[in-house]
Amino acid sequence: MDNCRPLLLKALNKENLSTPPIWFMRQAGRYMPEYRQVRKKFKNFLDMCKNPDVCCELALQPIKAFNLDAAILFSDILTIPDAFGLKVKFEENKGPIFHNPVKSIEDIENLKPFYPKSLAYVYEAVSNIKNSLPNNIPLIGFTGSPWTLAAYSIEGSTSKNFNKTINFIKKHKEASHILLAKFTDACFLYVREQVKSGADVIQIFDSWANILDESNFSSFSLQYLRSLISALKNDIVTKNIPIILFLRSPKCSTSELINTSTDCISLYTAMQNFDIDVASGKVAIQGNLDPKILLESKDVIKKESHKILNKFKDYPGYIFNLGHGITPNINPDKVKFLTDTVREF
Ligand code: 1CP
C-alpha cells in the first residue's frame, strides 16, 4: 500500500528516499511549443487563466512530456489582486500591468472586499486538473505571499528594485499593514477553496522577499507568512495539507523560516547559505539547481545535478527542483535529460 503513496508526499513527510520526487517551477510555459500553440489564441494571459479547460490542458502538458512526480495548477499569483479590482493585464512578452494600482491610503481603505467566489475559475481549473491526473501524481495549488502580492499591487508592474513600493511602505506604514492583512485573509480563503477542489499540496511564492531589509522582511513579510501558515494549519479543511514555502533570498535566519511551521522550504538558486543541519528533521527541502544550467551541455547538466543530489542524498525529505522557474529560452530536450538524469542517479 505504502508503495502507492506519491513520492512527493513521502518527501514532504520528511522521509528519506532513494530517488527524490522531481517537478519544476514554471514546468508549464513558453519554453514548450505545445504551450505556445495554445497561448497564441489569447491576447491577455489572464483571459487564458480564466478558461478552466485550457488551464487543465496546460497543466498536463509537462506531465505528458516528462513524466514528472507532481503537477502544478496552471494559473498565476496575480489572480488575487485582480479579484480586489486592481485590473491586472498581461500582454504577450510583457510583465503584468495594473490599471488600478494602490497609490494612496484611500485606495487601501476603498479596496473592494475579496469574495473567494470571484476566483471560481481557478477552483474549477483545480478540479479539472485533479480529475485528469492519475492517482499517483499529486496536484500542487499555490498563492503568492501577502508581501509579494502587495509589492506588485503598489508598484503596478514588475520592477528591478520596487523603489515605489519601498517608499510607499516607509511613508504609509499603518496602511501598508492593513493591505497586507487584507491579502493574508484573501490568500487563506483562496488556498482553502483550492484544497476543497482537490489540491494536495500548497506552495506559497514570496518571490520579492529579497527587496526587504532584515527588519522590514520581518514586519512586512515574515509576520504575514506566519499568520497565513498558522491559519492553514488550524483550519479543518487545510490542516493536513503540506505547505512548501518559496522565498527569493530573504534576509532572515534558517530558524526563522522553520518557525513559520511550513513543511518544506523551496530554496532560491542563490540561497547557498541556508543551514541544512539546522533544517534537517524539521522541514523538507526543495531545489535548487540554477535554471541557467539548462542552457549548458548535457555533461554540465549531469555534473551540476549530481552535485545537488549528492548534497541532499541523506537529507530526510528532499524534492528535486530548480532554484527558480524554467525560462522561455530553455530547450525541452534538456528538461527531459535532466529528469532522466535525476531518476538514474
Ligand atoms: O507550471 C507553472 O508553474 C505554471 C503556473 C504559474 C505559476 C506557479 C504561472 C504561469 N505563474 C506562476 C507563479 C508566479 N507568477 C510567480 C511566482 C513564481 C516566480 O517567482 O516566478 C510570479 C512572481 C508571477 C508573476 C508573473 N506572471 C510574472 C513575473 C513578472 C515579473 O515580475 O518578472 C510573469 C511574466 C507572469 C506571467 C506568467 N505566469 C505563468 C506563465 C506561464 C506566464 C507567462 C505568460 C505568457 O505566456 O505570456
Side-chain angles (χ1 to χ4, degrees):
M1 187 62 196
D2 197 51
N3 288 339
C4 310
R5 258 180 76 230
L7 277 183
L8 180 77
L9 299 184
K10 289 186 185 178
L12 286 168
N13 197 31
K14 300 188 276 291
E15 293 170 35
N16 193 293
L17 305 165
S18 50
T19 309
I22 173 166
W23 72 280
F24 300 108
M25 286 190 270
R26 284 286 163 94
Q27 59 192 23
R30 276 179 291 167
Y31 78 101
M32 291 186 89
E34 51 272 56
Y35 173 88
R36 295 195 297 269
Q37 275 299 324
V38 177
R39 176 69 180 91
K40 68 183 182 199
K41 296 183 205 156
F42 298 84
K43 188 164 185 285
N44 177 11
F45 170 74
L46 264 196
D47 290 338
M48 187 167 81
C49 295
K50 289 176 184 172
N51 185 321
D53 292 330
V54 169
C55 291
C56 180
E57 180 184 349
L58 295 175
L60 294 176
Q61 285 176 347
I63 306 299
K64 288 182 184 145
F66 314 116
N67 183 25
L68 301 165
D69 291 302
I72 181 159
L73 162 66
F74 192 89
S75 190
D76 197 78
I77 62 167
L78 300 179
T79 51
I80 288 183
D82 191 56
F84 268 101
L86 305 184
K87 292 213 163 67
V88 183
K89 277 221 154 62
F90 291 88
E91 307 274 316
E92 203 157 355
N93 297 326
K94 282 194 214 145
I97 302 290
F98 286 57
H99 286 249
N100 300 328
V102 170
K103 293 197 290 293
S104 62
I105 298 178
E106 293 73 38
D107 285 351
I108 293 174
E109 285 165 352
N110 296 334
L111 271 184
K112 67 175 197 186
F114 174 73
Y115 298 109
K117 278 209 175 111
S118 63
L119 294 177
Y121 65 87
V122 177
Y123 323 135
E124 208 180 312
V126 170
S127 70
N128 282 359
I129 301 165
K130 183 67 189 167
N131 291 332
S132 310
L133 281 171
N135 280 338
N136 61 334
I137 312 264
L139 174 58
I140 304 169
F142 67 87
T143 178
S145 70
W147 163 249
T148 288
L149 298 184
Y152 278 114
S153 303
I154 296 166
E155 200 71 20
S157 65
T158 190
S159 162
K160 252 204 155 79
N161 42 27
F162 282 76
N163 277 337
K164 202 196 279 180
T165 305
I166 299 295
N167 288 332
F168 186 96
I169 61 166
K170 266 193 215 151
K171 197 166 157 202
H172 306 299
K173 219 171 174 172
E174 214 174 299
S176 300
H177 283 292
I178 293 172
L179 179 65
L180 286 161
K182 287 187 186 200
F183 279 145
T184 305
D185 291 346
C187 290
F188 167 69
L189 295 170
Y190 184 53
V191 163
R192 195 170 188 273
E193 290 302 317
Q194 291 185 35
V195 170
K196 278 203 225 160
S197 306
D200 302 293
V201 171
I202 292 294
Q203 179 148 330
I204 302 171
F205 289 97
D206 198 3
S207 302
W208 294 106
N210 60 314
I211 61 178
L212 294 171
D213 64 23
E214 201 175 327
S215 108
N216 281 339
F217 175 72
S218 174
S219 74
F220 290 97
S221 182
L222 190 61
Q223 177 189 173
Y224 296 97
L225 288 170
R226 258 193 254 112
S227 13
L228 173 58
I229 296 170
S230 151
L232 292 170
K233 292 292 175 194
N234 285 301
D235 182 84
I236 184 105
V237 174
T238 51
K239 65 180 182 191
N240 293 322
I241 297 292
I243 296 170
I244 305 173
L245 177 57
F246 167 83
L247 314 98
R248 187 191 314 213
S249 303
K251 294 184 186 69
C252 71
S253 68
T254 301
S255 314
E256 282 172 299
L257 293 181
I258 293 168
N259 289 341
T260 59
S261 303
T262 187
D263 298 277
C264 176
I265 294 173
S266 187
L267 299 177
Y268 178 66
T269 312
M271 277 166 75
Q272 306 295 353
N273 59 349
F274 183 83
D275 194 333
I276 294 173
D277 294 332
V278 170
S280 182
K282 299 197 179 92
V283 285
I285 289 183
Q286 172 172 283
N288 67 341
L289 183 73
D290 186 344
K292 287 200 197 81
I293 298 292
L294 286 169
L295 293 168
E296 303 287 337
S297 67
K298 290 186 172 174
D299 282 348
V300 174
I301 295 175
K302 191 166 181 173
K303 191 171 128 239
E304 293 299 321
S305 57
H306 277 196
K307 263 195 218 164
I308 294 198
L309 288 163
N310 274 317
K311 179 168 164 186
F312 290 106
K313 173 161 70 40
D314 299 317
Y315 190 87
Y318 173 64
I319 300 158
F320 192 90
N321 206 315
L322 304 173
H324 205 190
I326 302 182
T327 48
N329 55 351
I330 298 299
N331 179 345
D333 293 343
K334 299 281 182 66
V335 176
K336 175 85 180 93
F337 177 78
L338 173 59
T339 310
D340 293 341
T341 304
V342 173
R343 294 245 168 81
E344 283 158 16
F345 177 74

